[in-house]
Amino acid sequence: MKTLFQKIADGEIPAKFVYKDDFCAAINDINPQAPTHVLLFPIEPIERLEKAEGRHAELLGHMMLCVPKIAEKCGLKDGFRVVINNGVQAGETVPHLHIHILGGRSLHWPPG
Ligand code: 5GP
């Protein structure tokens, strides 16, 4: 069965892409926690970070390099935060690896 993000990537659930290439896609979060809250996910459905394998190294590196490009596209010139929630205790709700890109306001540390 396809994950939510696979359905979005395949156009089965409509979404406006902030960014998309052959390997990953980015959309605005439906429940934003900051003025800018983007979700960047691989098209290939890796369940969560702990399930990533050596063969995913290039894909994960590519995604990390996409992050600052997306942040710049979103106008986050004063900074941004990158978050991956891995597992229930971390707050993961969608079992398809994704990187949260948050910005547009001061972000506190430590996070809640
Ligand atoms: P997680 O909690 O797994 O780290 O992040 C999942 C994120 O997906 C949440 O921030 C949630 O608001 C977002 N989300 C859940 N369903 C949808 C949806 O249908 N569309 C979009 N754009 N975001 C979603």
Side-chain angles (χ1 to χ4, degrees), residues 24 40 57-69 80 82 84 99:
C24 59
L40 173 63
E58 196 174 344
L59 170 62
L60 296 179
H62 171 72
M63 288 176 62
M64 290 306 285
L65 293 173
C66 285
V67 169
K69 292 180 192 162
F80 57 87
V82 172
I84 296 175
I99 299 173

Side-chain angles (χ1 to χ4, degrees), residues 15-57:
K16 184 172 170 253
F17 291 101
V18 176
Y19 176 84
K20 193 168 189 297
D21 63 26
D22 289 344
F23 309 104
C24 59
I27 56 172
N28 288 309
D29 198 293
I30 203 169
N31 182 25
Q33 301 302 309
T36 297
H37 185 170
V38 171
L39 304 171
L40 173 63
F41 55 90
I43 307 290
E44 177 185 343
I46 302 167
E47 199 173 346
R48 61 184 56 81
L49 187 59
E50 70 186 17
K51 297 286 189 183
E53 299 172 6
R55 67 188 170 90
H56 295 124

Side-chain angles (χ1 to χ4, degrees), residues 4-5 8 13-15 27-33 37 39 83-86 90-96 98 100:
L4 170 67
F5 294 153
I8 288 173
I13 295 175
I27 56 172
N28 288 309
D29 198 293
I30 203 169
N31 182 25
Q33 301 302 309
H37 185 170
L39 304 171
V83 173
I84 296 175
N85 295 325
N86 184 100
E92 178 198 310
T93 57
V94 176
H96 180 144
H98 49 282
H100 296 258

